Amino acid sequence: MIEQLKSRVTEKLKDHPKRLQHVFGVYETACKLAIIHGVDQEKAAIAALYHDYAKYDTIEEQIQHIELKLIKQYAEYPVIYHALAAAISLEQEFMIKDQDILNAIRHHVWGRPKMSDLEKIIFISDSCEPNRKFDDASLIFETATKDLNHAVLLAMKASIDYLYQKGLLPSQEQLEAYTYYQEVNRGEIK
Ligand SMILES: [Fe+2]
Ligand SMILES: [Fe+2]
C-alpha cells in the first residue's frame, strides 16, 4: 500500500519536484511523530503521502467530486479544495474508508478544533517538515516530539502570521481553530 502510494504520488507530482520533496518530508516527519506518540504509523504514512495529491489539479478538476455545499462554503478560500479533493481521490481510488486518515487530509491546511492525534501530526508535519525553511520550523518539530497541542498552536500561529505578512486575512474557521488550541494550551479545555 505505502509503496503503491509512493509511486502514485511521484508520478502525479513529477513536474513539481519541490512539492514532491515536501510530500516526502511530511511523510518522514509524520512517521517519526507517529512512533513517538503511539499513533498508527501506516495511517500517518498514507495521509502524509496523499495530502497534496490534488495540489496542481485545476480548480475545475479539484471541485469535480466535492459536494456543492462545500464548494460554496470555501469559495473565498479555494486553497481548501485541494485537500478535500485528495481525500475524495484516496477514498475512491484506494478504497480507504478510515475517517481519521481522510480527516487528516481534509483538514491539513487550517487544522480544526478537536483534532485526533493523527490529524495533529499531519497538520504539524505539513508545517515543519525539513524542507520548510521559515525560522520556527525546527522549533515546531522539536515541540511536537514532546507536546502535540503546543506544536499545533505554534504551527497555526506561523500560518496566520504568514497570511498577515502577505496582507491576507485568515478565515473565521482558521481563527476559531487557533482560539481553540490557545484554550487547550492554557488548560481551559481538556
Ligand atoms: Fe496542502
Ligand atoms: Fe503540504
Side-chain angles (χ1 to χ4, degrees):
M1 179 73 187
I2 300 300
E3 291 313 309
Q4 211 182 339
L5 282 176
K6 280 183 185 170
S7 48
R8 175 69 75 96
V9 79
T10 301
E11 168 65 22
K12 177 80 172 179
L13 298 177
K14 64 178 185 300
D15 296 331
H16 305 278
K18 284 234 163 75
R19 179 64 50 178
L20 193 58
Q21 239 183 7
H22 159 72
V23 164
F24 278 89
V26 175
Y27 164 71
E28 304 269 333
T29 305
C31 287
K32 283 183 198 163
L33 293 176
I35 292 168
I36 292 170
H37 293 286
V39 167
D40 186 313
Q41 207 190 326
E42 188 178 21
K43 289 189 190 187
I46 294 170
L49 286 171
Y50 220 78
H51 82 283
D52 274 342
Y53 185 78
K55 185 78 182 177
Y56 299 101
D57 290 353
T58 63
I59 293 285
E60 288 71 24
E61 287 165 340
Q62 287 175 354
I63 64 172
Q64 200 172 12
H65 301 289
I66 298 175
E67 49 181 310
L68 191 58
K69 181 176 145 263
L70 291 173
I71 296 174
K72 287 184 179 162
Q73 187 176 332
Y74 295 109
E76 278 182 64
Y77 301 95
V79 64
I80 298 303
Y81 294 151
H82 81 280
L84 301 176
I88 293 168
S89 164
L90 184 66
E91 186 175 5
Q92 289 180 348
E93 291 186 37
F94 289 88
M95 304 302 152
I96 298 284
K97 303 285 176 204
D98 185 306
Q99 288 304 310
D100 203 13
I101 296 176
L102 298 176
N103 281 332
I105 294 175
R106 287 179 190 124
H107 299 287
H108 81 261
V109 182
W110 293 336
R112 62 167 176 167
K114 299 182 185 174
M115 286 188 280
S116 70
D117 282 353
L118 177 64
E119 288 177 66
K120 289 174 196 171
I121 283 173
I122 298 303
F123 177 73
I124 293 164
S125 302
D126 191 34
S127 164
C128 76
E129 58 91 8
N131 302 292
R132 297 284 204 205
K133 296 298 180 213
F134 67 102
D135 288 349
D136 283 350
S138 55
L139 172 69
I140 293 172
F141 177 74
E142 283 309 315
T143 304
T145 62
K146 299 175 204 106
D147 182 344
L148 289 178
N149 286 328
H150 189 194
V152 163
L153 186 68
L154 295 178
M156 286 179 168
K157 184 173 185 311
S159 163
I160 289 168
D161 286 350
Y162 176 74
L163 289 176
Y164 283 134
Q165 269 173 29
K166 291 211 308 182
L168 298 168
L169 288 178
S171 70
Q172 203 51 42
E173 216 179 303
Q174 189 174 12
L175 288 174
E176 276 166 19
Y178 181 54
T179 303
Y180 178 89
Y181 280 95
Q182 282 179 315
E183 290 169 2
V184 168
N185 280 278
R186 286 198 298 256
E188 293 164 14
I189 298 172
K190 290 284 175 224

